[in-house]
Amino acid sequence: MKLFYSPGSCALGVHILMEEIGAPFDLARVNFAEREQFGEPYRSVNPKSKVPALQRDDGSVLTEYQAISVYLALTHPEKRLIPLGAERHARMMEALEYVVGTIHGSGFRRVFRPGAFTRHEADHDAVKAEGIMIAKDGFQLIDRSLGSKDFIAGDFSIADPALFYVSFWAAERVKIGLPMNVQKHYDRMTDRPAVRKALKDEGL
């Protein structure tokens, strides 16, 4: 398999999962600074011009964190990346969708791409500030649901690398504090060998 990524992007979550399952794969960096995501070579892989994209052994491509992570979990059931039981499964997916859709999609997207929300550059700071507030509120909600658990579903699951990558953005890029339980989760994730390797391989 081949994972198309940009260092420190949401593809970091998939990178971590790939390391966790231990399947062989290659990394293919997409240089966002040079807008390679919009070039025809990459658009032939992923016409959405986004990462992550996972090219599988048969040449087919999966996109979107949720879809890729579910695929990896279901094709490697021995890793138990999706919790058993309807309630735990549903709660894990609930948290995953909120992290990706709200903290990332509504919050950090405003911070990193304010131009997608307004045509007026003078409004960019206000858009960024709104994004930070959305992210902070989101972290507080996740913090309450985490409680004293080590991971979102109790045991490590596909939701945890997603929470890690948005926590990484908060801690390392935007420099906003994380609430206590989310900070503990971030520290716990940073101690995992798969996370350390993914960060090293991406130069982070």
Side-chain angles (χ1 to χ4, degrees):
M1 293 186 286
K2 180 183 292 186
L3 175 63
F4 292 85
Y5 79 106
S6 177
S9 70
C10 53
L12 175 61
V14 175
H15 191 171
I16 290 167
L17 284 174
M18 300 290 285
E19 297 292 350
E20 289 280 353
I21 65 176
F25 70 100
D26 294 324
L27 281 172
R29 179 173 178 172
V30 182
N31 191 324
F32 277 29
E34 296 184 4
R35 298 176 64 81
E36 286 183 354
Q37 69 271 34
F38 299 113
E40 197 53 40
Y42 184 63
R43 282 180 57 82
S44 67
V45 174
N46 182 8
K48 298 174 183 176
S49 296
K50 294 164 52 179
V51 294
L54 181 66
Q55 187 174 59
R56 295 175 289 183
D57 292 340
D58 64 358
S60 63
V61 175
L62 273 178
T63 63
E64 308 298 336
Y65 179 89
Q66 299 95 315
I68 296 172
S69 63
V70 168
Y71 170 79
L72 292 174
L74 293 178
T75 53
H76 296 82
E78 74 282 0
K79 299 299 181 179
R80 299 181 180 180
L81 296 173
I82 293 177
L84 297 176
E87 180 66 17
R88 291 181 67 216
H89 188 160
R91 291 298 185 185
M92 182 274 294
M93 288 302 301
E94 179 183 44
L96 173 57
E97 293 291 341
Y98 185 73
V99 167
V100 175
T102 299
I103 298 179
H104 173 178
S106 293
F108 282 111
R109 188 162 183 259
R110 282 176 165 81
V111 176
F112 298 140
R113 295 188 61 200
F117 296 88
T118 177
R119 292 179 296 175
H120 306 293
E121 190 170 348
D123 296 330
H124 282 192
D125 286 345
V127 171
K128 291 178 181 179
E130 182 182 18
I132 288 174
M133 287 307 302
I134 292 170
K136 284 184 173 181
D137 289 346
F139 282 126
Q140 289 292 343
L141 190 152
I142 292 294
D143 190 78
R144 291 194 294 273
S145 67
L146 264 173
S148 60
K149 294 181 297 197
D150 285 349
F151 299 105
I152 286 173
D155 299 319
F156 181 84
S157 74
I158 60 174
D160 294 294
L163 179 56
F164 178 80
Y165 81 70
V166 293
S167 298
F168 176 83
W169 292 345
E172 304 298 332
R173 294 194 169 173
V174 185
K175 306 295 185 182
I176 58 175
L178 294 168
M180 181 178 66
N181 296 324
V182 176
Q183 181 66 54
K184 288 180 178 178
H185 179 273
Y186 181 72
D187 295 340
R188 193 173 293 115
M189 287 289 293
T190 305
D191 284 340
R192 293 180 75 87
V195 175
R196 293 200 300 267
K197 187 173 188 309
L199 290 171
K200 181 181 178 181
D201 288 349
E202 294 193 18
L204 302 171

